[in-house]
Amino acid sequence: MSTTTTTALGFIYPDHAAEDDYPLAERLLREAGIDVSLNVAHIYGTDLHAIPELLDLGSPDKLADGASLLADADPAAVIWACTSGSFVYGPDGAPKQVAALAQASRVAASSTSFAFVNAAKHLGVSRVAVAASYPDDVAQLFVQFLAAAGIEVLGMSSAGIDTAAEVGTLTSDQVCELAASNDRLDAQALLIPDTAMHTIGVLQQLEAQLGKPVLTANQVTIWEALRLANITAVQPALGALFNERPHYGDVRS
């Protein structure tokens, strides 16, 4: 009789908004034969999309608390599942944030901001459009973070939504409208950078609508954890990032 071992992956998620994307993704991965458990631990702070509050939310003490909440799951990797709470530290501070999290969790660690960079590089994408839910000053920091990693943002929109809780109430139709209205024809991919937004259930619809890869915060966060755990997952329901190869031609051109 053969036995399989479920690989646990850990996610530190701020407050509550779209954390139900994780059990949905876990179900889809298991349907594809990927035996993983996606364990979500919550840390708390104000959910304002404002720079001082975001710096506090991603502070070493808060992330260490999140790591301790995941310890019993014995995760193979831990991800800080917050885009704005990681890129707000900038290209110099964000690596230190991840290094401190790795030390606290004693396993490989990363954050959603680095997940976006690594996912784009995996697909060979270097020119993107960004459909952000944040206020403009916060969204511009994401553009700068991507630029420091060699990813050119051809167009960026900021919906100006002040809180993560409000982002979490966006319907599937509203998410699709946000994507469609803020794509650029010359962009190789569209990035939607907020883990507070429900996107896992509409990834196939978004990519069919735009005809290109769409990278969303919870999607790339989960992919990054799998990558760190050396797990290759093929599940087209999770978008081109989870295909064996992209279906949109040579995205490196």
Side-chain angles (χ1 to χ4, degrees):
M1 176 190 251
S2 64
T3 60
T4 59
T5 302
T6 300
T7 301
L9 302 172
F11 304 89
I12 301 172
Y13 190 93
D15 295 288
H16 297 275
E19 63 267 32
D20 45 339
D21 265 5
Y22 290 82
L24 173 57
E26 179 180 296
R27 177 176 63 79
L28 292 170
L29 289 167
R30 291 191 171 192
E31 287 175 0
I34 312 301
D35 191 9
V36 294
S37 63
L38 307 185
N39 300 271
V40 177
H42 294 272
I43 60 172
Y44 298 95
T46 176
D47 71 343
L48 275 177
H49 288 144
I51 292 169
E53 285 78 7
L54 292 169
L55 288 169
D56 176 70
L57 189 61
S59 64
D61 288 347
K62 278 192 166 63
L63 295 189
D65 287 344
S68 69
L69 295 172
L70 290 166
D72 287 346
D74 192 23
V78 171
I79 312 292
W80 169 218
C82 182
T83 324
S84 55
S86 47
F87 69 66
V88 73
Y89 278 80
D92 294 326
K96 297 174 184 176
Q97 182 188 56
V98 166
L101 176 57
Q103 183 175 15
S105 58
R106 298 184 179 180
V107 294
S110 188
S111 69
T112 303
S113 293
F114 285 114
F116 270 110
V117 169
N118 292 330
K121 290 182 176 179
H122 175 74
L123 291 178
V125 166
S126 60
R127 302 189 307 277
V128 304
V130 172
S133 53
Y134 318 120
D136 186 71
D137 62 333
V138 174
Q140 290 293 345
L141 294 178
F142 185 52
V143 173
Q144 293 169 23
F145 188 89
L146 294 173
I151 299 170
E152 181 184 4
V153 177
L154 302 178
M156 188 278 290
S157 66
S158 54
I161 301 176
D162 287 329
T163 67
E166 186 179 353
V167 173
T169 67
L170 295 177
T171 65
S172 295
D173 286 345
Q174 287 173 314
V175 171
C176 290
E177 173 58 28
L178 177 71
S181 4
N182 296 293
D183 185 30
R184 283 273 302 257
L185 289 177
D186 51 347
Q188 296 168 306
L190 177 72
L191 278 54
I192 305 178
D194 196 338
T195 58
M197 191 182 300
H198 292 89
T199 59
I200 294 295
V202 293
L203 281 164
Q204 285 185 308
Q205 180 180 346
L206 287 171
E207 293 191 335
Q209 179 179 319
L210 301 181
K212 66 181 61 174
V214 175
L215 299 178
T216 75
N218 289 322
Q219 172 212 36
V220 301
T221 298
I222 293 162
W223 177 85
E224 180 81 339
L226 291 162
R227 184 185 72 82
L228 290 180
N230 295 312
I231 297 172
T232 299
V234 178
Q235 171 48 288
L238 293 173
L241 182 61
F242 283 82
N243 286 342
E244 290 183 277
R245 60 179 59 84
H247 293 308
Y248 303 101
D250 183 5
V251 294
R252 287 172 289 276
S253 62

